[in-house]
């Protein structure tokens, strides 16, 4: 595809801008999904307010470096794969609905190579603050003779490098790919819902629906991206909750550890009820809609084409 390099640049730029804009909401999503017994946070805004109060403004960006580093290759793989599959499955420039679904499915499968380790590391970094907030600070009984107790230093903050090294040392490469099955289970249905829904919303009210030549107006692409993204995000939230729980290594007091997807589903259902599977759904919709809206905007403005034009 002659347009692929430009598309990859667009995808990368969109990923970087998008992640920077919505990362705090994503952090809230992880923390809300991981809450089991102790409710440290009542909701998204409460979580963000408490995070800023206890960890500063940049506390909301814990884990963002990992995400920013790996989001470009992730977007590149996803876009390139979706393009390749769409080309292979289309006949005379037309792509049937089942072809769109299959192409999305293939794209979701390919991106797991990068998504799983990225999410794995990001989740540990995002959740560290929640675990710290759960730990009660012991107050020793005052004594007349004893000197005042020294202030307890906060536990050391985990770093992406530290976690990676530790995981590779203790569990080898599979350690980084913990939760790959759950990531697949989330990303494949997401892509299967998102890509066809976006293509059809984007083609509304145009001649030659399904043809590759008509260009939708910017606002339509923007709304189609946001709308399709929100629907797909909320639809796969239960799978995202399972994935977050499986990938979280450090658990809080009295929190369940899970043996796998089925065990995790069963325990959440038994201990927390069906509502637990929708934890962080609002956050997910609020994260995904702007991400895809921004992506459509970057595509529409032709940032990649402009960059390649300058380089040539």
């Amino acid at each position: 595809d002659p347009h692929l390099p430009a598309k990859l640049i667009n995808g990368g730029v969109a990923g970087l801008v998008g992640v920077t804009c919505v990362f705090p909401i994503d952090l809230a999503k992880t923390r809300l999904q991981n809450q089991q017994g102790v409710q440290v946070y009542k909701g998204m805004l409460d979580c963000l307010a408490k995070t800023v109060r206890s960890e500063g403004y940049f506390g909301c960006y814990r884990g963002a470096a990992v995400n920013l580093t790996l989001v470009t290759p992730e977007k590149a793989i996803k876009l390139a794969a979706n393009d390749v599959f769409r080309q292979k499955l289309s006949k005379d420039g037309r792509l049937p609905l089942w072809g769109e679904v299959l192409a999305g499915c293939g794209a979701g499968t390919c991106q797991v190579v990068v998504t799983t380790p990225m999410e794995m590391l990001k989740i540990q970094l995002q959740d560290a603050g929640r675990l710290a907030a759960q730990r009660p600070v012991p107050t020793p009984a005052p004594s007349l003779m004893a000197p005042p107790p020294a202030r307890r230093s906060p536990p050391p903050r985990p770093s992406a490098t530290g976690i990676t090294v530790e995981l590779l040392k203790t569990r080898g490469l599979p350690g980084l790919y913990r939760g790959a099955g759950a990531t697949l289970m989330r990303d494949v249905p997401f892509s299967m819902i998102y890509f066809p829904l976006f293509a059809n919303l984007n083609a509304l009210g145009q001649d030659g629906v399904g043809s590759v030549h008509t260009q939708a107006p910017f606002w339509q692409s923007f709304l189609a991206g946001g709308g399709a993204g929100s629907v797909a995000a909320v639809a796969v939230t239960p799978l995202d909750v399972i994935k977050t729980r499986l990938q979280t290594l450090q658990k809080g007091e009295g929190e369940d550890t899970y043996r796998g997807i089925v065990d995790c589903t069963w325990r959440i259902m038994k201990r927390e009820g069906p509502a637990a599977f929708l934890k962080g759904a609002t956050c997910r919709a609020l994260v995904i809609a702007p991400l895809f809206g921004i992506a459509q905007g970057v595509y529409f403005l032709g940032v990649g084409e402009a960059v390649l034009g300058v380089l040539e």
Side-chain angles (χ1 to χ4, degrees):
D1 180 358
H3 304 301
L4 194 60
K7 276 188 178 169
L8 296 183
I9 294 172
N10 284 337
V13 171
L16 294 171
V17 175
V19 166
T20 308
C21 293
V22 298
F23 195 84
I25 305 173
D26 188 64
L27 178 117
K29 179 209 73 131
T30 298
R31 292 188 177 184
L32 290 171
Q33 285 182 343
N34 266 331
Q35 290 196 133
Q36 291 181 37
V38 187
Q39 296 289 318
V40 180
Y41 312 110
K42 286 195 271 297
M44 179 181 80
L45 295 175
D46 182 50
C47 178
L48 290 172
K50 284 182 176 163
T51 302
V52 170
R53 214 174 307 145
S54 60
E55 300 164 62
Y57 175 70
F58 288 109
C60 293
Y61 279 90
R62 185 95 12 91
V66 174
N67 220 3
L68 290 168
T69 310
L70 294 177
V71 73
T72 308
E74 181 202 37
K75 286 269 176 291
I77 292 171
K78 187 175 191 155
L79 291 166
N82 190 51
D83 251 35
V84 169
F85 288 123
R86 283 180 84 94
Q87 275 175 347
K88 293 268 183 285
L89 294 166
S90 58
K91 288 196 169 64
D92 316 318
R94 284 181 173 280
L95 187 64
L97 182 66
W98 62 265
E100 291 183 38
V101 173
L102 263 182
C105 178
T109 308
C110 294
Q111 75 174 74
V112 141
V113 182
V114 178
T115 314
T116 309
M118 172 174 91
E119 296 263 324
M120 175 85 192
L121 295 170
K122 185 190 78 174
I123 285 171
Q124 315 316 317
L125 298 165
Q126 285 180 331
D127 203 42
R130 182 187 71 93
L131 294 171
Q134 257 193 33
R135 286 187 207 105
V137 180
T139 47
S143 136
L144 295 173
M145 302 299 290
R151 278 184 67 86
R152 209 168 58 124
S153 60
R157 288 210 176 122
S159 75
T161 329
I163 297 169
T164 311
V165 169
E166 185 57 30
L167 275 171
L168 288 173
K169 219 162 44 187
T170 54
R171 303 184 190 178
L173 200 56
L176 273 181
Y177 279 89
R178 172 173 170 156
T183 308
L184 260 179
M185 254 176 55
R186 180 198 67 172
D187 288 348
V188 170
F190 180 90
S191 294
M192 284 165 75
I193 297 167
Y194 173 77
F195 283 112
L197 187 56
F198 169 72
N200 288 293
L201 286 174
N202 202 28
L204 281 179
Q206 286 180 39
D207 308 328
V209 172
S211 78
V212 248
H213 306 298
T214 44
Q215 172 93 356
F218 170 70
W219 62 266
Q220 188 176 350
S221 290
F222 186 83
L223 291 176
S230 297
V231 171
V234 173
V236 301
T237 296
L239 302 166
D240 189 54
V241 171
I242 294 167
K243 183 193 81 63
T244 302
R245 294 279 182 96
L246 285 174
Q247 288 188 320
T248 304
L249 298 170
Q250 301 279 328
K251 299 285 182 187
E253 221 165 295
E255 290 182 355
D256 262 345
T257 310
Y258 310 100
R259 283 194 297 279
I261 293 170
V262 179
D263 178 52
C264 181
T265 311
W266 170 240
R267 281 181 192 228
I268 293 176
M269 191 75 190
K270 207 166 61 177
R271 278 190 60 168
E272 300 164 66
F277 288 107
L278 285 175
K279 284 184 177 179
T282 315
C283 292
R284 263 182 77 70
L286 288 173
V287 164
I288 302 278
L291 275 181
F292 283 94
I294 289 166
Q296 291 311 326
V298 170
Y299 269 87
F300 194 85
L301 296 169
V303 173
E305 289 80 355
V307 169
L308 289 172
V310 169
L311 293 177
E312 278 165 16

